Amino acid sequence: MFTIIRCGSLFDGKADVAQKNQTIVVNQGLIEWIGSSDAAPKAKDGDTVLDHSDSFALPGLIDLHTHLAYGNAKSEENIDLYAPMEFRALRAMFFAQQVVAAGYTSICSPGDAGRISLSVRDAIRAGLFPGPRVMAAGPYLTSRQGLADWYPSWIGTPDTSVGRLIRSVDEGIEEARRQIKDGVDCIKIAMDGRMKRQDGEFMAAFNQQELDTMVTEIHRLGRKVIVHARGREATLYSARAKVDMIFHASYMDDECLEAILKNKCVICPTLTFLRHDIDFTQPTDQAYQEGRSDASEEEFTIACKALSRAYKAGVPILPGTDSGFALTPYGEWHAKELDIFVKHLGMTPAQALRSATSESAKFLSYGAEVGSLEPGKQADIVIVDGDPLRDVSVLMERKRILAVYKSGEAADLRPRKYNPRQVSDFSHQWWSDLYTRERVEQLFGQKQPGQLHAGQTRPGQRVA
Ligand SMILES: [Zn+2]
């Protein structure tokens, strides 16, 4: 019994153009035949025919940077502390399904607390729940100078954090071995964070020798290494150590680029996060008050210049969004990265779409099965109203995503309501302002609340 999918146009994930009037024949989740509808095998009794002959088909999309367990968090504390691991895993499953509904049938979840991403991966793989294919990491390996050691040294990294504090190479190797025993597909290392030297340069969290030793051992055990590296030094050490994928690489220079090319690293710049920090952050947000939006704008400009050069030089630039933060909620903005690739890195729409399909698939642990529409591959297919080869931003419009098939099975695309206040935002910050007399006067003028006359109400007060 076959599923026969008729498509108006089809982009196979590899070509420069779409083919018109194509048919895909699916047998037990795999593509059995693909080609012109005129030459397609006729449907027999019991076959299912899906008519998308007015629409555009492309391979299921891939986001290499989606943190399943972050829960659309507004703070690191909310990522790490305020929800039990069990709740985070259930929440991750819900959000994983939102990712599929956006057309993203494969993700890499590079760094989550405990074994959350592994468990979500395994439950989906076992058929317990619908959801995307997941390449999963465990907690980041971090030093005290790395991204994931958020807390003061007198607190350390709690067990429920996305980071695991590594105090020596031996500890790093032991942690990697433990994670690999537990079943991770890749190891994430925080190669820098927010700490800078006095000259303003981001400092790498591990030195060259430490990183070399850890990467060599992880590779010996057959797993890929992903690093967070914004700064020049961390990017350079990572490239020299032959890590597989570098997140960000915003401040890479010629020396970095040379090492990246020599050792065939790929870059997942995750520009959506920076872009949203610039475009969405409001003056009332802490991030704005700390000057993060301005810093992001500067980084975005520098990164786009460096990444365009790297792309022209032949470095694969692959899409990821850091979905899982309040700036990048699951299922909403995954295709924004492709739009940025076109508008800011000079990719054609076809190049951007290839990066999100066949090129990204090369990185995935299960990549041989996905990333293009051809016989023998999984029937992971997105049906779109519009032509993403002309304008990739159509992929961001919910109503344009008409159907998503994973192994030939239709995903549920209906928006599902939930109460965001019961999902994240559990930290104990109750006010975002400081109510000195001066501030209160700024806010309310002379007529200060608290001096209300009988019958007056304060803003927001319930009236019986
Ligand atoms: Zn991330």
Side-chain angles (χ1 to χ4, degrees), residues 336-391:
K336 178 72 158 283
E337 192 74 6
L338 307 183
D339 198 42
I340 293 173
F341 284 0
V342 171
K343 290 188 175 134
H344 296 276
L345 302 190
M347 288 192 195
T348 64
Q351 286 170 329
L353 290 177
R354 280 200 293 270
S355 79
T357 54
S358 56
E359 292 293 322
S360 282
K362 290 178 196 161
F363 182 78
L364 295 171
S365 43
Y366 49 86
E369 301 173 46
V370 299
S372 57
L373 301 179
E374 52 190 319
K377 299 269 182 174
Q378 294 286 345
D380 292 2
I381 304 160
V382 187
I383 306 291
V384 183
D385 171 21
D387 184 355
L389 280 173
R390 284 174 58 186
D391 180 4

Side-chain angles (χ1 to χ4, degrees), residues 28-41:
Q28 303 196 30
L30 299 178
I31 298 173
E32 170 119 348
W33 188 91
I34 187 164
S36 163
S37 295
D38 300 332

Side-chain angles (χ1 to χ4, degrees), residues 284 289 429-444 448-449 459:
T284 45
Q289 288 155 22
Q429 177 169 309
W430 288 341
W431 298 279
S432 55
D433 213 331
L434 178 68
Y435 300 101
T436 59
R437 280 176 285 187
E438 200 180 25
R439 180 70 181 131
V440 168
E441 197 171 317
Q442 269 177 4
L443 286 168
F444 302 103
Q448 289 181 17

Side-chain angles (χ1 to χ4, degrees), residues 65 67 70 110 140 188 247-248 322 325:
H65 196 169
H67 293 284
Y70 284 18
Y140 303 43
K188 173 81 171 279
F247 281 158
H248 311 300
D322 242 331
F325 288 96

